Amino acid sequence: MDVKIEPSWKNIMEAEFSKPYFIELVDFIKNEYKNQEIYPKGNDIFNAFWHCPFEKVKVVILGQDPYHGLDQAHGLSFSVQEGIPFPPSLLNIFKEIKRDLGTSIPAHGNLTKWADQGVLLLNATLTVKANQAGSHQNKGWEKFTDAVIGRIAAHHQHTVFMLWGAYAQKKGALISSEKHLKLEAPHPSPLSAYRGFLGSGHFSKANAYLREKGLEEIKW
């Protein structure tokens, strides 16, 4: 199956594209885009991969679903297009970065500049129906993104995985703590951020680890 994804990812993920679950997933997604309002736009589904080629991955931030509001999702977890108000979780991320690193909260919530530095902003599910959170869960995306995490964990060394919330932390089983750094905290949602996400220091910890391993820090 010819999947339009960044070439290095196409090479490393090729085996997944011919598996029955992925073929069924593609048929389902194509039908959904024909008949429903689906986010992000079709051309943005694999945006995270285009901005962060396989060999450049230094940090993985795992989300669950794309945003399901109008013009929010554009294929990068937690990120929104310029001009779109910050969703609450993203605002808490920026608050923690300000507390942790002393930087100011940015004017917009587009995280493309992180992706271009080697931060894979990966949602576990890459599409969603408008205004229906979780509507494309358990259709096959999770198998694909588990495979993505597995390939990174197996082929890379010294990658930082930021696992926020119980859902993301389940993926930790795919990742060796001997080869990589796993940073776990509650989700940045307002429902849970106060339980330990705010104050976690994940951004300074990630940069300290990258420095220690001789890798360039992320400009958060």
Side-chain angles (χ1 to χ4, degrees):
M1 177 173 287
D2 184 27
V3 177
K4 291 182 174 63
I5 194 170
E6 191 276 333
S8 65
W9 285 104
K10 189 162 193 171
N11 181 52
I12 200 76
M13 299 302 298
E14 191 75 55
E16 296 301 306
F17 300 145
S18 58
K19 291 182 178 179
Y21 87 85
F22 195 85
I23 294 168
E24 289 176 16
L25 171 63
V26 169
D27 288 343
F28 168 76
I29 294 300
K30 284 181 176 177
N31 190 59
E32 287 286 275
Y33 272 93
K34 283 180 188 173
N35 297 296
Q36 307 278 346
E37 185 72 22
I38 304 298
Y39 302 135
K41 294 176 181 176
N43 290 340
D44 287 340
I45 292 173
F46 293 117
N47 217 8
F49 302 93
W50 285 103
H51 282 281
C52 187
F54 181 75
E55 66 277 3
K56 292 188 177 181
V57 176
K58 293 192 284 189
V59 179
V60 179
I61 298 181
L62 187 66
Q64 189 163 345
D65 258 4
Y67 295 122
H68 53 81
L70 180 65
D71 292 334
Q72 289 182 305
H74 63 120
L76 306 177
S77 64
F78 294 104
S79 180
V80 290
Q81 308 265 28
E82 292 186 36
I84 301 297
F86 297 160
S89 292
L90 181 58
L91 180 58
N92 281 333
I93 290 169
F94 287 149
K95 285 178 178 177
E96 174 56 16
I97 293 172
K98 181 179 180 181
R99 187 210 63 79
D100 190 18
L101 301 176
T103 54
S104 57
I105 291 176
H108 62 78
N110 189 323
L111 304 181
T112 300
K113 68 173 186 176
W114 294 4
D116 290 339
Q117 295 176 75
V119 181
L120 183 65
L121 294 162
L122 182 66
N123 279 315
T125 302
L126 299 187
T127 54
V128 69
K129 280 185 191 177
N131 305 313
Q132 294 186 43
S135 47
H136 283 181
Q137 290 178 7
N138 303 314
K139 303 295 184 183
W141 278 132
E142 294 92 342
K143 288 183 182 179
F144 175 72
T145 53
D146 278 0
V148 168
I149 294 166
R151 299 291 202 288
I152 296 168
H155 292 275
H156 281 255
Q157 285 193 327
H158 314 319
T159 304
V160 180
F161 290 86
M162 294 186 177
L163 305 175
W164 299 334
Y167 185 90
Q169 287 160 20
K170 287 178 185 175
K171 308 288 188 186
L174 302 166
I175 303 158
S176 166
S177 295
E178 295 178 4
K179 289 176 64 178
H180 306 287
L181 177 63
K182 293 192 280 189
L183 297 174
E184 298 187 353
H187 195 276
S189 158
L191 297 175
S192 55
Y194 65 92
R195 294 184 193 142
F197 175 80
L198 297 171
S200 63
H202 278 188
F203 302 94
S204 59
K205 289 174 183 175
N207 277 351
Y209 179 82
L210 293 172
R211 272 199 313 274
E212 179 191 319
K213 302 303 180 183
L215 300 169
E216 191 172 349
E217 298 178 24
I218 305 299
K219 295 180 179 68
W220 299 106

